[in-house]
Amino acid sequence: MVIATETTSGGSHHRRLTFAAFLNSDPAAEEEEQRSHGVDVDAINPSTSNNSNNNMNMNKEVHYYQQRQSNASTTSGESSPNQVLSPWNQTYSPYYTDTTTTPSMSPSPWNQTYSPYYKSPWIYQRRNMDDDGTDNGLVGTIVRQDGHVYSLAASGDLLFTGSDSKNIRVWKDLKDFTGFKSTSGLVKAIVITGDNRIFTGHQDGKIRVWRGSKSRTGSYSRVGSLPTLKEFLTKSVNPKNYVEVRRRKNVLKIRHYDAVSCLSLNEELGLLYSGSWDKTLKVWRLSDSKCLESIQAHDDAINTVAAGFDDLLFTGSADGTLKVWKRELQGKGTKHFLVNVLIKQENAVTALANAVTALAVNLTAAVVYCGSSDGSVNFWEGQKYLSHGGTLCGHRMAVLCLAAAGSLVLSGGADKNICVWRRNGDGTHSCLSVLMDHVGPVKCLTAVEEAEDGDGGQKGDQRWIVYSGSLDKSVKVWRVTETASTVIG
């Protein structure tokens, strides 16, 4: 506290400076003035020297804050690695591990490079990658605060995103195009068929079906659900169609009674696969939306399902297993049989630590990739006999999503990073880059081949546009190329 002294004929008394006067005051000059009037400053405050230094530091902080305010409008958004992490400025790099350096900035939410309004509810930021000459990197960010982004799917120039607000947003040319909303249930999975039907899996256990209007551009309406009402009523009258899920509770076999966590299409066979936290795998025929099979596939929640090559189907679960199913003829129809278990857990403890969280399939090379909660990505290859090819280690936390694109495989994790891997001709994998711009776990990924525009890079260079959805409520758009130089291992 700065104290000013006035000497009068009757003695001396002290008065406090106003805050405005304090901001403009010079502690050293005041002290000198007090001493010139014969005032014993040390008697007034025994720790004068400490207070003087503290006051000078406060003035410096005020000046520093004012300087930061003036620079806030011109900053490029890049921050020093010594910057304190705050709710308004999450620019943490996983490779910055220097914990001994004292942060150079105050942890106050007002003393940051970014203002709280840097990311508005509506924003699209575009970055020209040609400026820095990078092969792989961020193209732009699209944000609408509908909630955490749990699912996305791309079709042509349209991008569909699902969130915990029950909304499905549709983006065209990376601008908000339209949207539609379900009555209930967080949107956990989205797939799009060739005939422009959109299937969405929800937290409430329902699979809803949507279709775009041919007469009204941008208008989508719900055209049904799985199972269909007709099939539901038909099956419900027969007690044999029910299964007991817990004591005194029976449900229809053709209906999920817990969250639909994943969907996968095999349009060549005309089938849709759905996996659920109710531990069941269901097979649906696209032509008439009929449920062909309901399989008690796992001992715990199914997290991911992926249609594969050679009539194979892969499912991964929180029980820590990766199972392989094969579609085979049985009588007049077909049925899926368990043919292999690629990952097994010895006990419940190891299963909890190594839950299977994501799957992706490279159909051309006949490779299946499996992400786990321990941060690893294992892969198996071979059409007749699947053999373990190796393990990709690029994440410090759980792998939450995978996407295959040409010779590339992309993995998104709870560590907020996206690793871009390339499968080489000899079967080995190289990490081309680590994409770091999300400030929340990366929950979903999808990739589409970039259309050639005449100046599309080098000859034979296959480039992909990658969309990543995160729990930071944003979708980021990236460009990656298969011929990028290897930067890691």
Side-chain angles (χ1 to χ4, degrees):
M1 179 66 67
V2 177
I3 300 177
T5 305
E6 290 184 357
T7 305
T8 64
S9 57
S12 64
H13 66 276
H14 310 296
R15 63 178 176 83
R16 298 177 184 268
L17 287 179
T18 64
F19 182 69
F22 163 70
L23 292 181
N24 296 320
S25 65
D26 185 344
E30 291 179 13
E31 183 178 335
E32 183 64 24
E33 183 180 357
Q34 291 170 359
R35 293 187 187 277
S36 67
H37 283 82
V39 178
D40 187 353
V41 180
D42 295 333
I44 295 174
N45 188 351
S47 57
T48 304
S49 58
N50 291 336
N51 283 336
S52 177
N53 291 333
N54 291 338
N55 292 331
M56 292 179 68
N57 289 336
M58 291 179 67
N59 282 332
K60 289 180 180 178
E61 288 182 5
V62 172
H63 173 70
Y64 182 69
Y65 168 73
Q66 293 170 339
Q67 184 180 20
R68 294 297 292 175
Q69 288 290 90
S70 64
N71 290 339
S73 60
T74 59
T75 182
S76 62
E78 296 179 358
S79 59
S80 166
N82 291 334
Q83 186 171 333
V84 174
L85 297 177
S86 82
W88 308 121
N89 190 12
Q90 298 289 334
T91 55
Y92 169 69
S93 166
Y95 296 105
Y96 181 73
T97 57
D98 184 3
T99 58
T100 61
T101 305
T102 302
S104 61
M105 297 176 65
S106 164
S108 164
W110 307 115
N111 191 15
Q112 304 294 339
T113 302
Y114 293 154
S115 123
Y117 303 101
Y118 179 75
K119 289 186 176 180
S120 70
W122 290 85
I123 187 168
Y124 169 58
Q125 303 165 349
R126 181 180 290 274
R127 177 162 113 32
N128 187 357
M129 286 175 35
D130 295 335
D131 294 341
D132 54 18
T134 56
D135 295 319
N136 297 342
L138 182 66
V139 175
T141 303
I142 49 179
V143 178
R144 178 185 170 118
Q145 290 189 349
D146 276 340
H148 305 303
V149 181
Y150 281 90
S151 55
L152 50 79
S155 175
D157 59 351
L158 298 179
L159 175 68
F160 297 78
T161 60
S163 69
D164 55 8
S165 67
K166 310 170 191 175
N167 291 337
I168 297 97
R169 300 300 310 173
V170 185
W171 307 83
K172 185 174 183 179
D173 298 327
L174 303 181
K175 292 186 174 68
D176 190 80
F177 180 57
T178 186
F180 44 98
K181 185 173 183 177
S182 64
T183 55
S184 62
L186 176 156
V187 186
K188 297 186 69 68
I190 305 175
V191 293
I192 305 171
T193 64
D195 61 357
N196 200 31
R197 277 185 294 172
I198 301 103
F199 293 84
T200 56
H202 297 259
Q203 183 80 26
D204 60 6
K206 295 182 179 179
I207 302 172
R208 295 175 169 88
V209 189
W210 316 80
R211 190 188 291 274
S213 173
K214 295 181 179 179
S215 58
R216 296 172 54 193
T217 303
S219 176
Y220 289 83
S221 59
R222 180 177 166 185
V223 295
S225 60
L226 301 181
T228 62
L229 179 60
K230 179 181 178 180
E231 185 179 17
F232 178 81
L233 295 175
T234 302
K235 298 286 186 181
S236 62
V237 297
N238 189 345
K240 294 182 179 181
N241 293 325
Y242 288 82
V243 293
E244 186 177 8
V245 294
R246 51 181 173 265
R247 188 179 180 184
R248 297 181 180 178
K249 181 174 177 60
N250 296 329
V251 297
L252 272 177
K253 289 190 294 184
I254 63 171
R255 184 177 182 179
H256 288 297
Y257 65 89
D258 207 339
V260 178
S261 56
C262 48
L263 297 170
S264 182
L265 280 172
N266 187 332
E267 290 201 78
E268 184 179 345
L269 299 177
L271 299 176
L272 170 70
Y273 300 98
S274 63
S276 170
W277 288 357
D278 63 12
K279 311 173 190 177
T280 67
L281 166 71
K282 299 192 189 303
V283 185
W284 310 86
R285 188 163 57 202
L286 292 175
S287 59
D288 58 3
S289 300
K290 183 179 180 180
C291 182
L292 302 179
E293 296 179 68
S294 179
I295 306 169
Q296 190 71 28
H298 288 270
D299 297 328
D300 206 337
I302 297 178
N303 291 326
T304 178
V305 60
F309 41 85
D310 194 29
D311 287 348
L312 295 179
L313 178 70
F314 303 92
T315 58
S317 167
D319 63 12
T321 62
L322 169 59
K323 294 186 177 182
V324 186
W325 309 81
K326 188 172 178 62
R327 180 174 175 266
E328 297 178 350
L329 291 172
Q330 186 185 54
K332 296 182 180 180
T334 59
K335 189 175 181 180
H336 289 78
F337 295 91
L338 179 65
V339 295
N340 202 350
V341 180
L342 298 180
I343 296 180
K344 300 178 182 179
Q345 303 299 332
E346 296 179 358
N347 52 59
V349 176
T350 57
L352 182 63
N354 298 283
V356 177
T357 53
L359 290 171
V361 178
N362 182 331
L363 295 175
T364 304
V367 182
V368 56
Y369 298 90
C370 170
S372 301
S373 58
D374 62 359
S376 65
V377 177
N378 287 275
F379 64 94
W380 289 260
E381 50 196 358
Q383 290 186 340
K384 292 185 178 180
Y385 304 100
L386 289 169
S387 60
H388 186 256
T391 303
L392 309 179
C393 299
H395 295 275
R396 297 170 299 129
M397 300 175 70
V399 175
L400 301 181
C401 53
L402 290 169
S407 64
L408 301 179
V409 60
L410 302 101
S411 57
D415 57 5
K416 312 171 189 176
N417 299 334
I418 302 168
C419 293
V420 182
W421 308 87
R422 180 181 62 208
R423 176 178 168 83
N424 303 315
D426 59 357
T428 62
H429 288 72
S430 302
C431 185
L432 302 184
S433 56
V434 179
L435 308 177
M436 299 180 291
D437 206 68
H438 279 294
V439 296
V442 181
K443 195 68 179 65
C444 47
L445 286 167
T446 192
V448 295
E449 189 171 3
E450 185 177 27
E452 296 184 3
D453 54 3
D455 57 351
Q458 300 176 359
K459 186 177 181 180
D461 181 13
Q462 190 170 15
R463 302 200 296 185
W464 300 84
I465 295 297
V466 176
Y467 303 97
S468 60
S470 169
L471 301 188
D472 63 10
K473 303 183 180 180
S474 75
V475 175
K476 294 194 179 292
V477 187
W478 315 82
R479 179 180 291 114
V480 298
T481 175
E482 298 186 15
T483 58
S485 56
T486 302
V487 295
I488 302 177

